[in-house]
Amino acid sequence: YIRSVSESTKAGREYAAAYAAHYTGRDLPAALQLYMDVIAAHPNTREAGYSRTQVHNIVNSVVPKQELFDAQVNLAAAHCAHAGQAT
């Protein structure tokens, strides 16, 4: 129990730093890296979930919609081909 509380507290501090970089500092590259660090270090915490949402927010704010859609289609096609499901 103490370990999970400690991890949660650490994840919370790291998420707060990422959030501050994102919204106070307006440093999107730093915020993106800090959010990814939270996800990597604390994958099963609420903060990792919050970080994933913020990563999506950053992606949607900097990547043009058509480019994002094209990348998703290409990714899906590559996975289908890899799985042997390509037509």
Side-chain angles (χ1 to χ4, degrees):
Y1 177 75
I2 291 177
R3 181 176 179 194
S4 65
V5 169
S6 174
E7 180 179 354
S8 179
T9 301
K10 187 167 192 245
R13 282 194 307 266
E14 292 174 11
Y15 175 78
Y19 190 91
H22 186 178
Y23 290 103
T24 304
R26 304 278 185 215
D27 186 346
L28 296 183
L32 188 60
Q33 185 58 57
L34 290 167
Y35 288 132
M36 295 304 296
D37 292 346
V38 172
I39 293 165
H42 313 284
N44 299 316
T45 63
R46 286 181 296 173
E47 290 79 7
Y50 303 152
S51 293
R52 285 182 190 90
T53 297
Q54 295 300 341
V55 167
H56 286 289
N57 291 343
I58 292 171
V59 168
N60 289 328
S61 73
V62 300
V63 180
K65 288 185 188 332
Q66 188 62 48
E67 186 178 340
L68 187 56
F69 178 76
D70 292 344
Q72 290 172 324
V73 169
N74 290 336
L75 184 60
H79 278 264
C80 289
H82 180 70
Q85 298 174 358
T87 55

